Amino acid sequence: MSLVEPAAVRALVVVDVQPTFCEGGELATEGANEIAHRVAAYTAAHRDRYATVLTTQDWHIDPGDHFSENPDFVDSWPPHGIAGSPNAELHPALADLAPDAQLKKGQYSHGYSGFDGADEHGRSLATILADAGVTAVDVVGLVESHCVKHTALDARRAGLSARVLTDLTIPVSPEQGRTAHQELTAAGVELRVSATL
């Protein structure tokens, strides 16, 4: 029996739940709007599980070759998450979330990981988590095969316990989802369904 889990100080990291990644957005994934509503409902019901709740947002100003007029959808993408645009704001479903910190990322780079971002005070995700005494994170949001995956992998690299709640995220495609699951599992990230927590 492990004594680590009961002592864990846990954060919820809500990654890039923005209209830009939802149906009707610039880089849409089918089913993303539903995920936004699920994340909002989960957080409202279970906020007491977390020492802190944080959000990240793609907030691109000039991300270089991350944007392309002829994207390959591997290393380059259509413009999305454009700083100051309505679709770069948090999804309306999260209107009542009241996160403890909001981090913006990717201003001048791809910014796949929440650990690439900073809040309005210039604090990185690593700093915010350390200051809160966090030892474990649950990662949810958009999308599983990209920014959710990179955020969870960076959490592990930072020495944190990490879980991805698979019903509160969605991959771009089933194939990319399977690949992400393999990478996450290999790195020691736990894949869980929120109802089983």
Side-chain angles (χ1 to χ4, degrees), residues 4-196:
V4 175
E5 184 62 24
V9 178
R10 190 170 292 277
L12 180 67
V13 182
V14 178
V15 175
D16 298 2
V17 180
Q18 301 165 263
T20 197
F21 298 119
C22 296
E23 293 88 338
E26 296 88 348
L27 195 56
T29 293
E30 186 177 349
N33 270 316
E34 174 62 25
I35 294 299
H37 289 279
R38 283 191 208 166
V39 168
Y42 171 82
T43 307
H46 301 296
R47 195 176 187 119
D48 59 348
R49 293 178 176 174
Y50 298 99
T52 188
V53 175
L54 314 167
T55 60
T56 73
Q57 290 162 258
D58 259 9
W59 199 254
H60 295 307
I61 297 171
D62 183 9
D65 58 9
H66 185 61
F67 282 178
S68 173
E69 292 181 7
N70 303 108
D72 61 15
F73 295 92
V74 177
D75 297 310
S76 61
W77 309 88
H80 61 275
I82 297 167
S85 70
N87 278 356
E89 299 297 338
L90 290 175
H91 193 285
L94 303 187
D96 296 327
L97 186 73
D100 297 301
Q102 293 180 247
L103 295 96
K104 293 182 169 68
K105 60 187 180 66
Q107 286 90 334
Y108 301 101
S109 67
H110 59 69
Y112 288 121
S113 170
F115 284 83
D116 298 331
D119 71 0
E120 61 183 350
H121 306 293
R123 298 180 302 164
S124 69
L125 180 56
T127 295
I128 293 168
L129 295 174
D131 287 351
V134 168
T135 58
V137 296
D138 287 350
V139 186
V140 302
L142 304 174
V143 289
E144 184 179 46
S145 47
H146 292 79
C147 294
V148 167
K149 177 187 78 174
H150 285 284
T151 300
L153 291 175
D154 278 354
R156 291 293 297 137
R157 292 186 190 104
L160 300 168
S161 172
R163 303 188 298 204
V164 169
L165 306 187
T166 57
D167 57 316
L168 301 179
T169 185
I170 193 169
V172 168
S173 68
E175 180 180 75
Q176 291 185 60
R178 287 190 291 272
T179 300
H181 283 193
Q182 291 168 359
E183 291 181 58
L184 290 163
T185 300
V189 176
E190 193 177 353
L191 304 176
R192 294 288 296 273
V193 174
S194 64
T196 67

